[in-house]
């Protein structure tokens, strides 16, 4: 189904991510299969847990339509592991995947090796029913005992009544911890997975994007290395691998999801992906004019990809042009918000990575 | 009768008086030869007495104290004429000189002749701080003459010569009340700069009006060159302005100064107190701004402070403003993203647009945003003293 020219971005189902996906060109979309992680909506002040769950359940039926509206009918991975309670996960998986496929989409359920049986059974059922396959998402602790891992996988195959060729195997390293070692370690361990060559796809996900920007400075150039991309490129030239992976990352976000608290305000920073780094133009919290100032500088920088590179880049240029008016009269606003800047950053990243993958030898 | 001659000393004076008496006894006709001799003698005696009388004027402090004794005045009674109690104390102890305002009020209020008050006090070199004199010796201010072989007064007298007063404007990072040591050190530093400048031959006279904003902006463009500070020094020399590098003396907190004793040859002294390119260029621009703005306004440093007519802060602010304008024009700054984000990207972008060194821009951004902890890597990485090591090593220049 997918070959090494594909890209799997792991994204949360939030407005910024949705719009970043929506504004991708059709040509780019062909080479992307997003893995969408559903998260609980942000709790309202004084809202009880049950009320938040109910609120999410009410939105569930609309989600498949929205995904097709944003993404179209090409393949998308559906991961409900970050939702609360097993019953909500089961219900969500069923509603989204079943309805999505009925609407003509290609919705592939994602399970973890140690998910509750109810979730696994629902995912197996949906995979068999829709004939769209399944994705197993392995995480680092699963590799503590390779024999046990292979036994668990064998048991899962048996109970799912699916073959390796029906299943996408996603090994999710999450944080690279600042070096190549972790990536290389799990890439090599993955090669020992039973019948590694037989799986429908083998995807390796990781991210070196930091948890926050506390180590970035306003008055310094912040270039953070995209370690996972470097490692991925290196592994493609390796002759020791039985199977080479498909590239997956978390775009411009940290791989471990942390729910924002009610009073959390991100800094007005632009996160701009370059070929081998992320360029962080650090701003300050609640000082939205800094978005415009950074944009005005970024568009003049020789590393900027240009207005026509992506919708995100177009947005950056538009905001940069607004800077000169804004600085004379900040009352006119038009700085953009954390959401619109995240959308622009993700959109640019998606376009860039697809471009990079397409140009690999 | 002896031959009439110029009266040079007391002996000549007495002789002239005797001759006058003899002639007057004859009651000569004014048109006769004796009459003309008598006229000549009277003129010579008057001239000598005038000069002898002036030499015997009391010092300003002696005159004030004399008048206090006559009028039975206490120091507190001088406050209306001099200022605060501490100021009166400083004046009476000789730690501070009288300002023009004080001279005016003391003359009008206490009837002390202005010609007495306006005198420059005798310089008491013995009051100089030994550590300062030792530092001057260490730096070669006295040439090969050692403090072991000469008294402090001899060394200082020889060093200063007739140059006890000078026209100089100093730029300091901050102004403090002026302790004696600081003033002495400032004087010594300034004369040292003048002495060094005297060694430099300048073929071209400075033409008033040459230094203006355009001149300064063009000069600032040399900052991007590898040896920009040296090129600037050469360019200034070709324009009749001498740039001297001389380290500041302790407690002066001095960045630089401009000395206008010779209007044909303005001298800029720079201390390179901070080994940073941005500081060098800003100080240089500041001193040039003084030449551009205050060339015709002689200002003695000692009289600048505490006078209402001449406000040092205003002049410094004017020079700061023009220096800033030369390095980073306000029209650019007002619309620059660096105003909101002092990032290296903003620095590079402004530096490229203006054609000046990024450290200079970084220094300006820090100054204008008052965020001196920003862009430290850029400003601290660009050193300047290395260009002038040769100057520094010229101990006996």
């Amino acid at each position: 189904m997918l070959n090494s020219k594909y890209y799997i971005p792991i994204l949360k189902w939030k407005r910024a991510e949705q719009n970043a996906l929506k504004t991708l060109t059709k040509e780019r979309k062909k080479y992307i299969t997003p893995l969408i992680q559903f998260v609980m909506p942000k709790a309202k002040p004084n809202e009880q847990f049950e009320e938040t769950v109910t609120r999410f359940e009410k939105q569930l039926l609309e989600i498949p339509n929205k995904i097709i509206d944003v993404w179209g009918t090409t393949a998308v991975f559906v991961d409900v592991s970050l939702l609360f309670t097993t019953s909500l996960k089961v219900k969500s998986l069923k509603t989204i995947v079943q309805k999505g496929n009925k609407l003509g989409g290609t919705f592939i359920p994602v399970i973890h090796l140690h998910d509750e049986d109810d979730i696994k059974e629902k995912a197996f059922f949906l995979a068999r029913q829709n004939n769209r396959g399944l994705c197993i998402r392995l995480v680092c602790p699963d590799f503590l005992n390779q024999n046990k891992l292979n036994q668990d996988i064998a048991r899962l195959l048996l109970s799912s009544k699916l073959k390796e060729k029906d299943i996408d195997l996603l090994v999710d390293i999450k944080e690279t911890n600042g070096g190549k070692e972790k990536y290389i370690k799990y890439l090599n361990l993955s090669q020992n997975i039973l019948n590694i060559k037989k799986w429908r796809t083998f995807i390796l996900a990781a991210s070196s994007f930091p948890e926050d920007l506390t180590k970035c400075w306003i008055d310094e150039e912040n270039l953070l290395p995209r370690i996972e991309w470097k490692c991925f490129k290196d592994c493609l030239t390796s002759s020791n691998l039985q199977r080479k992976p498909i590239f997956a990352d978390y775009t411009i976000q940290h791989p471990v999801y942390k729910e924002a608290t009610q009073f959390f305000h991100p800094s007005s920073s632009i996160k701009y992906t370059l070929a081998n780094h992320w360029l962080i133009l650090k701003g300050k919290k609640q000082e939205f004019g800094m978005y415009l100032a950074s944009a005005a500088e970024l568009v003049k920088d020789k590393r900027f990809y240009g207005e026509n590179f992506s919708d995100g880049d177009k947005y950056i240029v538009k905001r940069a042009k607004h800077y000169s008016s804004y600085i004379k009269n900040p009352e006119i606003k038009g700085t953009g918000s954390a959401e619109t800047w995240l959308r622009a950053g993700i959109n640019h990243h998606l376009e860039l990575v697809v471009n990079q993958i397409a140009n690999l030898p | 009768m002896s031959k009439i001659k110029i009266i040079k000393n007391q002996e000549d004076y007495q002789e002239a008086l005797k001759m006058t008496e003899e002639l007057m006894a004859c009651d000569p006709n004014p048109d006769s030869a004796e009459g003309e001799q008598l006229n000549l003698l009277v003129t010579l005696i008057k001239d000598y007495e005038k000069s002898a009388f002036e030499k015997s004027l009391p010092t300003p402090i002696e005159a004030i104290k004399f008048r206090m004794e006559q009028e039975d005045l206490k120091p507190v009674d001088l406050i209306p004429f001099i200022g605060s109690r501490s100021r009166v104390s400083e004046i009476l102890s000789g730690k501070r000189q009288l300002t023009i305002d004080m001279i005016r009020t003391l003359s009008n209020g206490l009837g002390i002749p202005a010609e007495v008050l306006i005198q420059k006090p005798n310089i008491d070199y013995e009051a100089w701080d030994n550590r300062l004199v030792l530092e001057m010796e260490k730096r070669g201010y006295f040439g090969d003459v050692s403090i072991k072989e000469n008294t402090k007064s001899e060394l200082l007298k020889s060093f200063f010569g007739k140059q006890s007063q000078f026209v100089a404007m100093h730029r300091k990072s901050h102004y403090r009340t002026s302790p004696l040591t600081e003033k002495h050190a400032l004087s010594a530093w300034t004369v040292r700069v003048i002495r060094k400048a005297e060694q430099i031959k300048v073929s071209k006279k400075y033409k008033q009006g040459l230094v203006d904003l355009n001149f300064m902006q063009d000069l600032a463009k040399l900052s991007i060159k590898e040896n920009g500070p040296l090129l600037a020094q050469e360019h200034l020399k070709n324009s009749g302005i001498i740039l001297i590098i001389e380290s500041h003396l302790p407690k002066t907190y001095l960045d630089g100064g401009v000395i206008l004793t010779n209007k044909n040859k303005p001298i800029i002294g720079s201390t390179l107190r901070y080994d940073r390119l941005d500081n060098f260029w800003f100080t240089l621009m500041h001193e040039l701004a003084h030449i551009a703005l205050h060339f015709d306004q002689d200002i003695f440093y000692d009289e600048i402070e505490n006078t209402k007519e001449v406000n040092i802060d205003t002049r410094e602010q004017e020079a700061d403003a023009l220096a800033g304008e030369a390095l980073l024009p306000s029209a650019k700054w007002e619309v620059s993203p660096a105003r909101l984000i002092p990032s290296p990207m903003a620095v590079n972008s402004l530096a490229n647009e203006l054609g000046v060194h990024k450290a200079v821009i970084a220094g300006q951004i820090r100054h204008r945003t008052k965020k001196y902890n920003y862009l430290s890597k850029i400003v601290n990485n660009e050193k300047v003293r290395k260009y002038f090591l040769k100057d520094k090593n010229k101990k006996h220049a």
Side-chain angles (χ1 to χ4, degrees):
Chain A
M1 178 183 168
L2 304 179
N3 60 35
S4 64
K5 293 286 182 188
Y6 277 82
Y7 167 44
I8 318 293
I10 301 175
L11 297 163
K12 292 183 291 291
W13 189 244
K14 291 195 168 188
R15 227 170 23 217
E17 287 84 343
Q18 291 166 18
N19 287 325
L21 287 171
K22 188 171 183 175
T23 49
L24 281 170
T25 56
K26 273 188 180 174
E27 187 54 32
R28 294 280 192 256
K29 282 182 179 175
K30 280 198 292 189
Y31 297 99
I32 294 176
T33 302
L35 188 151
I36 295 172
Q37 297 195 110
F38 292 90
V39 293
M40 296 301 296
K42 197 171 171 180
K44 291 178 177 173
N46 303 320
E47 190 178 48
Q48 298 297 311
F49 171 74
E50 291 77 12
E51 291 172 317
T52 312
V53 170
T54 306
R55 196 149 53 87
F56 182 75
E57 284 178 333
K58 281 182 185 169
Q59 298 168 4
L60 260 177
L61 276 174
E62 293 307 311
I63 289 175
N65 294 312
K66 183 75 180 168
I67 292 176
I68 287 173
D69 173 49
V70 161
W71 185 246
T73 54
T74 52
V76 59
F77 293 114
V78 176
D79 189 318
V80 294
S81 59
L82 293 175
L83 295 176
F84 299 161
T85 78
T86 302
S87 61
L88 183 63
K89 288 177 187 176
V90 172
K91 187 176 180 181
S92 302
L93 203 58
K94 180 188 169 193
T95 310
I96 296 168
V97 173
Q98 208 158 41
K99 192 177 174 195
N101 284 323
K102 271 186 188 168
L103 289 169
T106 309
F107 286 34
I108 304 163
V110 178
I111 57 160
H112 286 65
L113 200 55
H114 298 292
D115 274 343
E116 290 85 346
D117 287 345
D118 288 355
I119 299 169
K120 284 184 195 165
E121 280 165 20
K122 181 55 68 183
F124 297 156
F125 169 76
L126 291 168
R128 288 195 301 267
Q129 185 191 48
N130 299 316
N131 205 23
R132 303 279 204 278
L134 176 77
C135 174
I136 299 176
R137 187 175 180 181
L138 300 178
V139 289
C140 293
D142 295 333
F143 288 85
L144 284 173
N145 183 330
Q146 190 85 38
N147 288 335
K148 186 175 178 300
L149 172 63
N150 280 333
Q151 287 165 12
D152 288 344
I153 290 172
R155 255 196 302 276
L156 189 141
L157 283 170
L158 198 64
S159 54
S160 70
K161 296 173 189 154
L162 295 166
K163 302 285 184 195
E164 287 95 338
K165 68 177 176 57
D166 303 315
I167 300 174
D168 300 299
L169 184 67
L170 166 63
V171 174
D172 188 2
I173 300 169
K174 297 194 187 291
E175 307 107 307
T176 55
N177 293 343
K180 292 180 180 177
E181 296 76 15
K182 189 177 176 190
Y183 190 98
I184 295 167
K185 177 184 170 186
Y186 287 96
L187 171 64
N188 290 333
L189 287 173
S190 303
Q191 299 301 303
N192 299 327
I193 291 172
L194 207 60
N195 299 326
I196 185 69
K197 284 185 172 175
K198 289 188 177 176
W199 299 87
R200 182 164 67 175
T201 58
F202 165 49
I203 305 159
L204 197 58
S207 176
S208 45
F209 199 88
E211 184 178 0
D212 54 44
L213 301 180
T214 50
K215 287 184 180 168
C216 295
W217 304 97
I218 285 177
D219 63 334
E220 286 181 20
E221 176 157 294
N222 304 292
L223 280 175
L224 310 178
R226 289 173 58 205
I227 295 169
E228 62 282 1
W229 174 248
K230 174 83 171 75
C231 292
F232 173 73
K233 276 195 302 180
D234 290 349
C235 86
L236 292 182
T237 57
S238 169
S239 54
N240 299 327
L241 298 175
Q242 286 192 67
R243 182 148 189 196
K244 287 173 182 166
I246 290 173
F247 182 73
D249 69 8
Y250 285 80
T251 69
I252 55 170
Q253 288 175 304
H254 187 64
V256 178
Y257 174 65
K258 199 187 279 182
E259 194 185 4
T261 60
Q262 194 183 339
F263 301 106
F264 174 76
H265 298 293
S267 63
S268 306
S269 305
I270 296 180
K271 302 150 191 171
Y272 193 71
T273 309
L274 302 175
N276 297 306
H277 295 86
W278 287 288
L279 175 63
I280 307 296
L281 295 109
K282 180 90 184 270
K284 286 184 177 173
K285 289 179 181 181
Q286 302 286 79
E287 293 192 20
F288 300 108
M290 286 185 163
Y291 279 128
L292 300 185
S294 293
E297 290 302 344
L298 178 58
V299 298
K300 284 188 275 181
D301 194 276
K302 62 183 177 196
R303 293 167 293 188
F304 183 62
Y305 280 80
E307 186 173 7
N308 297 323
F309 185 76
S310 73
D311 189 74
D313 288 278
K314 196 173 287 172
Y315 179 79
I316 294 168
V317 170
K318 193 176 170 192
R319 293 299 95 207
K321 284 178 182 166
H322 183 57
Y323 172 77
S324 56
S325 307
Y326 174 84
I327 196 67
K328 288 170 196 157
N329 178 19
E331 294 298 313
I332 62 171
K333 297 196 167 68
T335 58
S337 63
E339 180 195 313
T340 57
W341 282 101
L342 181 61
R343 172 184 65 74
I346 292 175
N347 181 271
H348 166 80
H349 180 94
L350 297 173
E351 293 273 3
L352 176 63
V353 174
V354 171
N355 208 30
Q356 286 184 301
I357 291 174
N359 288 305
L360 285 170
Chain B
M1 201 169 99
S2 306
K3 192 181 171 187
I4 295 172
K5 60 181 179 184
I6 291 173
I7 302 168
K8 291 177 185 165
N9 48 42
Q10 194 63 19
E11 197 181 327
D12 294 343
Y13 177 59
Q14 291 302 331
E15 195 179 332
L17 284 176
K18 193 179 169 191
M19 287 167 66
T20 307
E21 272 178 26
E22 287 171 7
L23 282 170
M24 284 181 77
C26 302
D27 192 21
N29 187 320
D31 297 329
S32 67
E34 289 79 10
E36 282 181 0
Q37 282 181 341
L38 181 62
N39 267 340
L40 182 59
L41 273 168
V42 168
T43 305
L44 289 170
I45 287 166
K46 272 186 182 172
D47 281 354
Y48 178 74
E49 282 179 341
K50 191 180 173 189
S51 115
F53 175 75
E54 274 191 358
K55 278 182 185 171
S56 64
L57 278 177
T59 66
I61 297 169
E62 282 170 351
I64 296 169
K65 284 182 176 172
F66 178 70
R67 185 51 49 92
M68 284 170 75
E69 197 180 319
Q70 278 185 321
E71 304 284 334
D72 196 20
L73 299 174
K74 294 188 175 66
V76 71
D77 298 319
L78 299 184
I79 291 175
F81 309 107
I82 290 177
S84 65
R85 184 187 290 266
S86 61
R87 191 59 44 86
V88 171
S89 167
E90 285 172 350
I91 294 290
L92 292 179
S93 64
K95 286 183 180 172
R96 180 180 287 274
Q97 291 182 42
L98 292 167
T99 65
I100 292 168
D101 256 4
M102 292 174 193
I103 291 170
R104 192 177 295 132
T105 52
L106 283 166
S107 181
N108 291 339
L110 296 180
I112 306 171
E115 62 180 352
V116 173
L117 295 170
I118 210 161
Q119 291 176 103
K120 187 135 185 88
N122 289 330
I123 298 166
D124 181 9
Y125 288 125
E126 281 306 314
W128 278 53
D129 188 324
N130 288 332
R131 287 166 299 185
L132 173 61
V133 180
L134 283 170
E135 182 63 27
M136 290 167 70
E137 187 201 28
K138 191 174 142 193
R139 294 192 190 182
Y141 276 38
F142 309 126
D144 295 327
V145 184
S146 166
I147 199 162
K148 290 172 188 165
E149 298 149 9
N150 295 272
T151 65
K152 191 161 66 174
S153 292
E154 284 170 343
L155 281 175
L156 291 169
K157 202 171 173 184
S158 155
F159 172 70
F160 280 105
K162 290 176 183 172
Q163 206 105 41
S164 59
Q165 280 195 339
F166 41 82
V167 184
M169 299 183 79
H170 299 105
R171 177 173 185 269
K172 292 187 283 181
S173 292
H174 61 273
Y175 285 87
R176 309 188 309 168
T177 50
S178 182
L180 209 54
T181 311
E182 187 189 334
K183 280 192 167 185
H184 289 163
L186 282 174
S187 308
W189 179 87
T190 308
V191 171
R192 170 71 164 171
V193 170
I194 293 169
R195 295 276 178 277
K196 277 187 162 181
E198 283 167 356
Q199 307 297 315
I200 296 169
K201 283 184 185 168
V202 180
S203 53
K204 197 172 179 182
K205 285 182 181 176
Y206 174 70
K207 193 178 164 194
Q208 184 176 359
L210 176 67
V211 174
D212 59 9
L213 183 59
N214 287 335
F215 178 94
M216 291 160 71
Q217 285 176 331
D218 285 344
L219 190 74
K221 288 188 170 66
L222 293 174
S223 61
I224 54 169
K225 308 267 185 190
E226 165 54 29
N227 54 349
L230 291 176
L231 293 175
Q233 191 179 36
E234 191 60 29
H235 183 73
L236 289 174
K237 191 177 160 188
N238 293 335
S239 308
I241 300 167
I242 299 174
L243 170 62
I244 298 292
I245 305 299
E246 177 63 32
S247 300
H248 72 294
L249 285 163
K251 297 184 184 175
T252 59
Y253 305 96
L254 189 67
D255 293 313
V258 60
I259 300 157
L260 300 167
T261 42
N262 181 350
K263 292 289 172 76
N264 293 327
K265 197 170 83 170
I267 305 165
I268 291 174
S270 180
T271 65
L272 308 186
R273 193 156 71 86
Y274 297 104
D275 189 10
R276 292 193 338 231
L277 204 60
D278 69 306
N279 198 257
F280 167 81
W281 283 100
F282 185 73
T283 301
L284 182 60
M285 289 298 147
H286 177 98
E287 305 312 343
L288 285 169
H290 275 311
I291 295 176
L293 299 168
H294 309 130
F295 187 80
D296 273 337
Q297 302 166 25
D298 290 358
I299 297 166
F300 287 83
Y301 176 78
D302 287 343
E303 292 184 353
I304 290 173
E305 288 176 301
N306 307 310
T307 60
K308 286 171 191 167
E309 291 86 354
V310 186
N311 186 335
I312 189 168
D313 287 338
T314 304
R315 288 176 192 284
E316 290 304 302
Q317 283 163 11
E318 285 169 359
D320 274 352
L322 188 61
E325 191 64 17
L327 297 172
L328 174 50
S330 49
K332 279 272 178 212
W333 172 246
E334 290 303 318
V335 295
S336 168
R339 266 182 66 190
L340 297 187
I341 295 220
S343 65
M345 208 182 254
V347 170
N348 287 334
S349 153
L350 268 176
N352 287 338
E353 278 179 53
L354 297 167
V356 295
H357 197 284
K358 63 180 181 179
V360 173
I361 296 299
Q364 277 297 297
I365 291 174
R366 280 156 58 106
H367 176 68
R368 292 180 191 213
T369 57
K370 306 285 178 224
K371 288 171 181 164
Y372 295 102
N373 54 336
Y374 279 172
L375 304 167
S376 301
K377 282 190 180 169
I378 295 178
V379 296
N380 291 335
N381 282 348
E382 302 296 339
K383 307 292 183 195
V384 69
R385 286 183 194 149
K386 61 183 178 184
Y387 297 111
F388 298 102
L389 284 175
K390 206 173 145 193
D391 275 33
K392 203 181 170 187
N393 292 336
K394 280 184 192 168
K395 193 180 173 190
H396 306 299

